Amino acid sequence: MRLYGAQSMIAPLRRVLVRRPDESFGEADPQRWHYTARPDLKRAQEEHDALVAILRSAGVEVLYHDIPQPGRADSIFVFDPAIVTNAGAIILRMSKNLRRGEEEAMAQRFAELDIPILATLDGAALAEGGDILWLDEETLAVGIGFRTNAEGFRQLTAALAPLGIRTLPVELPYHQGPEACLHLLSLISIVDERLAVVYPPLISVPFYQELHRRGFRLVEVPDSEFPTIGPNVLALAPGQCLMLENNPLTKQRLEAAGCEVLTYCGNEISLKAEGGATCLTRPILRG
């Protein structure tokens, strides 16, 4: 039985990797890490434990990434250092200098889980998982912005081509500039077959048109819920999803579109640190 492979945003989530907040997260300097405030470690761990409980109650096998990473506050966002294809993992290269080194730790954890490494980005390449969105099992949309550059896209394309996977570049806006974290998945999540939750004001016109060409229905996040990470939604299965609480309008709109919506409390692990449910989880196996 295959124990890895996640070339989908919505196929049933079977195995997932998470990282419990540790001292590095609790001691993070908000100005240095671009957090809104210093996290409370005890509360952060309680929130994370509750998130894991939700995943387990949904039938997901939860694995921990517990390799020591002193000083790397953002390492709780395990979605970013790698992607996992049906043939193995591709190790990315983080743009945020403070996150450099997470890639090697992730590769080490994958080795412990017997997940082969297909490729490792190097040189001038930059790419983070938050910019990577599976439109289907053979098409990967890649956000091009401050966190993922053209060379990262080129190397990703070269690594995926032998697997028959096509890549689609998606230009991202300037928004709040290079210090802020604006990934493609800050703007869109796919939650069911041809159903996506999006924040249209920051989506490029060509990508918006591509979604419509593919027949996607779009659930729009209101302006008031973009700052509270409304567009970042983790699909546990087609039509079943997990999102940050306190986004009631987006939740209502997802439910009206036919989704079952679970919520988690993330005042410390999400709102203070700019990362939603997708960011906190690295799918290992879907399907």
Side-chain angles (χ1 to χ4, degrees), residues 23-45:
E23 288 75 13
S24 296
F25 184 70
E27 296 170 358
D29 175 6
Q31 185 172 2
R32 185 168 183 248
W33 285 93
H34 206 269
Y35 290 0
T36 61
R38 187 184 298 274
D40 180 304
L41 181 57
K42 183 176 182 296
R43 290 180 180 174
Q45 290 175 335

Side-chain angles (χ1 to χ4, degrees), residues 186-207:
S186 303
L187 310 177
I188 179 171
S189 298
I190 298 176
V191 293
D192 201 349
E193 293 290 345
R194 286 181 285 280
L195 179 67
V197 54
V198 301
Y199 184 63
L202 295 181
I203 292 283
S204 72
V205 171
F207 186 53

Side-chain angles (χ1 to χ4, degrees), residues 4-5 9 37 43 50 57 67-68 71 76 92 94 109 111 119 157-158 164-165 168 178 182 215 219 228 249 257 284:
Y4 57 85
M9 306 304 296
R43 290 180 180 174
S57 68
I67 293 172
I76 67 166
L92 306 178
M94 311 297 287
R109 185 68 180 106
T157 300
I165 298 169
L168 174 70
L182 184 79
V219 174
T228 49
L249 293 177
I284 299 297

